[in-house]
Amino acid sequence: MKQKLEEIRARAEAELQKIDALADLEALRVQVLGKKGELTAILKSMGSLSAEERPKMGQLANEVRQSIEAMLAEKTKQLKEEQMRREIEATPVFDVSAPVDLTRGSYHPITLVQRECERIFKTMGFTVEDYSEIVTDYECFESLNIPKAHPARDMQDTYYLENGQLLKTQTSAAQNAIYKKYKDALINDGVPIKAIFPGRCFRNEATDACHENTFFQMEGVMVDKNISISNLIYFMKTMLSEVFQKDIKVRLRPGFFPFVEPGFELDISCLICGGEGCPSCKHSGWLELCPCGMIHPAVLRDGGIDPEEYTGFAFGLGLTRLAMMKYGIKDIRDLNSGSLKSLSQFADDE
Ligand code: FA5
């Protein structure tokens, strides 16, 4: 038995010399020390030894096991170091002294579309407003006729801060503040409220070719005496034909939003597939682009405006989707990818 034990140790040592892959090392460990390994088999046969022999052989077997384990540990360390060295050598060196590529940066397609929309609406007498990305529950929901526990909140799950504020899910969150800002000029001086407010929105939802968790909308509102759905349709059509510089097929269908009554969904025929159906339009041929409607009396009242005297329209244009349609971008996720290769294609637009 003594001789067998010495043979196992010697063979293991010889095998170890030849191994140069971590996987082979593990195979050797199993072969010698594993449940069905050579050394384990010997330990199991100890019972047949005399009472005098057993402790001596037991001690030797333990020594052999420990020395093989030590050799395996040493070899593992050595192989891991070699592997790391190979990886470091294969990594390209970053040369801080190399000349810099001074290729001009470019505007993001969403910035380009946003500026284009701002230009169009400014020519029609709208002001452009900026608004915070972090808002209160009141701004994002309650002032929009969406009380706590209203089912409409389910469609717009978002990210909440510990102080109870949230990342805005819709640019509509600025409506209340805009009404309050301009109501005195409207009531006292008869100046209509005409404002657009582009902004980044956030929703906790699964992403696909036409949905992102971070995207841009552009809200627009107009409030005055005798504002009707005709005014709304006129501004929507003018904006779309200016942005695309051609006639775009649109459809208006009923849509529910607690802050407008009546409410509509304005869809455009998908420009990626020409209306045939593709992943960008969820295979429907149409793309939801701009929900809109007549501002709900409760929302006007909350903004300090008498709904008996004034009416208005509001719309929430999907700016990110507009950029996709304008530039033929098939997957919305490309817009947040930070890939200069895709984004720099639009550099010449401005
Ligand atoms: C709204 O957000 C309403 N605030 C719009 C509104 C404003 C209605 C004023 C009436 C009056 P909706 O959840 O449908 O509605 O989003 C509006 C548009 O934003 C959509 O048509 C779409 O173009 C865009 N949008 C919504 N969710 C996403 C998303 N996850 N990724 C990209 N675009 C989105």
Side-chain angles (χ1 to χ4, degrees):
M1 185 169 283
K2 188 173 174 210
Q3 194 186 341
K4 264 190 185 168
L5 285 169
E6 290 301 350
E7 271 172 27
I8 290 174
R9 184 183 359 222
R11 212 167 35 243
E13 200 171 356
E15 287 290 320
L16 267 174
Q17 303 295 328
K18 292 186 236 154
I19 288 178
D20 56 8
L22 284 165
D24 295 341
L25 213 52
E26 175 60 11
L28 179 65
R29 190 193 64 76
V30 173
Q31 182 194 318
V32 183
L33 304 178
K35 267 192 196 159
K36 293 181 185 160
E38 297 164 21
L39 191 66
T40 320
I42 293 208
L43 288 171
K44 280 182 190 160
S45 66
M46 289 277 180
S48 60
L49 295 178
S50 66
E52 194 189 331
E53 278 283 283
R54 215 176 296 145
K56 284 190 205 151
M57 282 306 120
Q59 192 185 350
L60 181 62
N62 257 340
E63 277 170 27
V64 170
R65 166 180 276 278
Q66 279 166 7
S67 75
I68 294 177
E69 279 173 350
M71 285 190 286
L72 282 166
E74 178 57 30
K75 187 77 180 186
T76 307
K77 186 168 163 250
Q78 181 197 333
L79 288 181
K80 280 191 174 162
E81 279 172 5
E82 279 170 14
Q83 186 179 342
M84 197 185 296
R85 199 172 327 111
R86 276 198 302 275
E87 279 170 15
I88 291 171
E89 279 166 13
T91 309
V93 176
F94 177 67
D95 181 359
V96 284
S97 64
V100 181
D101 177 7
L102 287 175
T103 316
R104 207 162 57 91
S106 61
Y107 286 112
H108 193 281
I110 296 176
T111 307
L112 295 172
V113 170
Q114 180 180 325
R115 289 186 176 179
E116 179 65 4
C117 290
E118 288 176 4
R119 186 193 63 73
I120 295 164
F121 276 99
K122 273 197 226 161
T123 62
M124 297 192 287
F126 284 70
T127 58
V128 181
E129 308 285 332
D130 197 12
Y131 209 69
S132 169
E133 288 174 359
I134 296 174
V135 295
T136 59
D137 188 272
Y138 175 77
E139 289 166 297
C140 204
F141 298 118
E142 289 195 40
S143 69
L144 292 165
N145 207 20
I146 310 177
K148 290 212 162 60
H150 192 289
R153 290 191 180 214
D154 292 351
M155 323 266 275
Q156 300 194 7
D157 185 19
T158 185
Y159 305 93
Y160 287 83
L161 309 187
E162 279 172 5
N163 64 7
Q165 290 187 310
L166 48 112
L167 299 186
K168 76 168 181 254
T169 58
Q170 47 184 347
T171 41
S172 306
Q175 278 195 26
N176 186 263
I178 302 294
Y179 301 143
K180 286 177 177 158
K181 180 172 173 188
Y182 291 115
K183 72 176 168 45
D184 290 343
L186 171 73
I187 296 164
N188 302 331
D189 308 320
V191 181
I193 300 178
K194 289 168 87 178
I196 54 166
F197 23 111
R200 200 193 306 263
C201 302
F202 308 85
R203 291 188 194 175
N204 179 18
E205 63 184 18
T207 58
D208 60 27
C210 56
H211 289 90
E212 256 293 7
N213 50 29
T214 305
F215 56 96
F216 283 79
Q217 286 184 346
M218 193 185 79
E219 192 90 352
V221 293
M222 179 168 181
V223 182
D224 200 358
K225 290 187 172 159
N226 302 318
I227 297 293
S228 71
I229 297 173
S230 313
N231 299 102
L232 166 64
I233 294 173
Y234 166 79
F235 281 106
M236 293 295 93
K237 274 192 166 169
T238 309
M239 186 263 302
L240 288 173
S241 56
E242 285 271 325
V243 167
F244 291 104
Q245 294 290 306
K246 61 175 176 180
D247 263 351
I248 299 293
K249 226 164 107 187
V250 298
R251 72 175 184 189
L252 207 59
R253 55 191 170 90
F256 174 70
F257 302 92
F259 39 96
V260 286
E261 182 56 40
F264 308 101
E265 287 283 1
L266 187 142
D267 303 337
I268 64 166
S269 175
C270 179
L271 300 177
I272 304 279
C273 61
E276 300 269 300
C278 68
S280 313
C281 60
K282 286 196 265 175
H283 303 280
S284 69
W286 293 95
L287 202 81
E288 269 180 30
L289 186 69
C290 188
C292 49
M294 300 305 292
I295 304 165
H296 195 286
V299 175
L300 284 177
R301 208 175 294 118
D302 247 28
I305 296 168
D306 180 0
E308 297 292 330
E309 209 172 329
Y310 299 95
T311 50
F313 67 75
F315 62 85
L317 176 71
L319 261 190
T320 305
R321 291 204 186 148
L322 190 63
M324 288 173 73
M325 290 297 110
K326 181 160 165 87
Y327 294 109
I329 298 166
K330 293 193 180 111
D331 195 315
I332 196 169
R333 291 164 289 199
D334 287 344
L335 287 163
N336 284 355
S337 68
S339 154
L340 291 180
K341 202 170 156 208
S342 357
L343 299 176
S344 59
Q345 297 170 58
F346 312 102
D348 292 333
D349 268 63
E350 256 194 27

